[in-house]
Amino acid sequence: MTTHARRNILITGAGSGLGRAFATEALSSGHSVVGTVRSEEARLAFEAMHPSRARALLLDVTDFAAIGSAVAKVESEVAPIDVLVNNAGYGHEGILEESPLEEIKRQFDVNVFGAVAMMKAVLPYMRERGCGHIVNITSMAGYVGLAGIAYYAGSKFALEGISEVLAKEVRHLGIRVTAIAPGSFRTDWAGRSMVRSPRSIADYDSLFDPVRQARAEKSGKQSGDPIRAARALLRIVEAEDPPVHLLLGTDALKLVRQKLEALQHEIDAWESMTRSTEYA
């Protein structure tokens, strides 16, 4: 069962990709949207989407010190935030041994710490009102570790785990949390938006060169439709009892099911060792 009340939705990383699609669909469904963007040009473009219901906020989610006052400004000057969509993020591609440590710090700053800072900023208001919904955009890479994206997968595994715990901590307060894990969607994720660490170790060529080539060839031809993803998100936001975890896309469904089957097989195969560590 769903309810179609008009909501005030705050979407991070709303200037392009899935964030832009989420904002477009939310506005066309009658909701009000505040989108975080990172340039004045993007702010003007975003607010042009609707004369009264589209507002843009200049905010980089890695500017942790600015997040609290930005959220307070939305709450006081725009509207109470009914839904937070933590969408800001990017992909890092690179073999772990070849990728600088600074790259994983940056990856977690954006994909994990920025998202957590946003959650911490909206929670006091949601608690006071006894309602609210936090939606964290993760990835099928938050379930399945694919070669060549260790830093990205690590960040999305982290956000999945944080979402699951938070959902248990705030459910009795009337606040819902959903982690949405998309598969491959037709955005700039694998193109302009992706950070790639340079190759340097020949031992990884046979494993990784085909992976990088396939990803580059698939960019722009992915099966996932961002608008349909946005419609799914809105149905989740309107649901009375939304899921804690949701996969989007048949590729995500296939890969995650394969992972779960392999994990179950491995658990069963090593069960005797697992049980051997108790006190006699």
Side-chain angles (χ1 to χ4, degrees), residues 2-280:
T2 59
T3 53
H4 298 282
R6 179 177 290 184
R7 288 169 172 81
N8 300 305
I9 304 174
L10 174 58
I11 303 172
T12 66
S16 62
L18 283 177
R20 180 72 175 216
F22 294 154
T24 301
E25 283 300 300
L27 289 166
S28 69
S29 298
H31 301 297
S32 295
V33 179
V34 177
T36 75
V37 296
R38 292 192 295 163
S39 72
E40 182 62 19
E41 182 184 12
R43 186 185 73 79
L44 293 171
F46 188 86
E47 293 192 342
M49 292 169 70
H50 193 281
S52 61
R53 290 190 282 107
R55 295 282 293 272
L57 190 64
L58 274 173
L59 180 70
D60 184 329
V61 296
T62 64
D63 186 0
F64 308 132
I67 286 174
S69 58
V71 166
K73 184 177 181 181
V74 174
E75 283 276 343
S76 63
E77 296 181 14
V78 183
I81 299 162
D82 299 310
V83 182
L84 167 66
V85 180
N86 266 319
N87 166 77
Y90 72 95
H92 173 274
E93 182 191 78
I95 290 291
L96 185 141
E97 189 181 350
E98 295 177 336
S99 301
L101 205 55
E102 284 307 311
E103 293 288 359
I104 193 170
K105 290 177 180 177
R106 171 69 181 163
Q107 182 80 111
F108 272 66
D109 273 350
V110 177
N111 292 7
V112 183
F113 305 143
V116 171
M118 291 298 301
M119 289 185 255
K120 288 172 71 66
V122 301
L123 278 168
Y125 302 100
M126 291 183 175
R127 267 194 303 109
E128 188 177 340
R129 290 189 288 268
C131 62
H133 196 165
I134 293 171
V135 179
N136 293 324
I137 307 302
T138 65
S139 169
M140 63 182 177
Y143 290 83
V144 182
L146 302 169
I149 52 170
Y151 291 179
Y152 179 73
S155 74
K156 294 303 187 178
F157 266 77
L159 194 54
E160 279 285 337
I162 289 165
S163 301
E164 187 170 307
V165 173
L166 182 63
K168 292 173 180 174
E169 291 178 347
V170 299
R171 185 174 178 85
H172 73 290
L173 302 172
I175 302 166
R176 299 294 177 258
V177 180
T178 302
I180 294 184
S184 299
F185 278 76
R186 208 166 293 180
T187 67
D188 286 328
W189 181 85
R192 177 182 59 84
S193 298
M194 180 168 271
V195 172
R196 291 177 166 87
S197 290
R199 297 296 324 285
S200 58
I201 303 172
D203 285 345
Y204 293 111
D205 288 357
S206 61
L207 169 76
F208 189 53
D209 284 355
V211 172
R212 178 167 275 183
Q213 182 180 345
R215 186 170 291 128
E217 288 172 356
K218 195 177 179 184
S219 183
K221 302 171 188 171
Q222 297 94 328
S223 59
D225 180 346
I227 293 298
R228 291 188 174 192
R231 289 171 187 162
L233 178 136
L234 286 180
R235 289 201 296 273
I236 291 302
V237 164
E238 291 166 354
E240 287 186 6
D241 190 22
V244 175
H245 300 281
L246 179 71
L247 301 172
L248 292 183
T250 52
D251 56 346
L253 192 62
K254 178 183 176 184
L255 284 171
V256 173
R257 279 184 167 154
Q258 288 175 348
K259 159 73 179 275
L260 293 173
E261 287 170 11
L263 185 59
Q264 186 65 57
H265 178 77
E266 197 168 60
I267 289 170
D268 291 345
W270 293 89
E271 183 176 350
S272 61
M273 185 174 290
T274 300
R275 294 180 177 278
S276 73
T277 57
E278 312 286 306
Y279 279 107

